[in-house]
Amino acid sequence: MTKGEYRVGINFNPSNNDTVSKIKQMAAEMIDLVEEINAHADGPHTEVMRLKSIAQTHIEDAAMWAVKAATKQ
């Protein structure tokens, strides 16, 4: 399981909703893509790590809100 899959709970979809599956898969892929970003050897490593973390958190948040929209009764 990738970091992105873990973060979005890729296997949790009790309603078996196709839209939820797509949202989670795309968000997981985006989180994993951000994870691949490397800090430049001559750049501020801690700043890049901070920015990656913020980006991944916002992707996770967006997936959560999108799933809520897709499943709202």
Side-chain angles (χ1 to χ4, degrees):
M1 178 173 288
T2 69
K3 180 183 231 178
E5 290 170 341
Y6 176 78
R7 290 261 184 101
V8 300
I10 198 84
N11 295 321
F12 185 74
N13 185 359
S15 61
N16 231 6
N17 183 310
D18 287 337
T19 301
V20 169
S21 293
K22 288 177 188 175
I23 290 166
K24 288 186 173 200
Q25 183 60 47
M26 294 177 85
E29 290 173 10
M30 186 73 144
I31 289 170
D32 292 336
L33 179 61
V34 171
E35 185 66 16
E36 293 174 12
I37 297 170
N38 291 315
H40 299 293
D42 60 343
H45 179 73
T46 55
E47 179 66 3
V48 172
M49 297 305 292
R50 184 185 78 81
L51 295 171
K52 286 173 53 173
S53 179
I54 291 169
Q56 289 173 333
T57 299
H58 282 289
I59 295 163
E60 188 177 354
D61 286 342
M64 178 188 67
W65 291 112
V67 166
K68 185 172 180 171
T71 58
K72 192 73 171 174
Q73 301 272 330

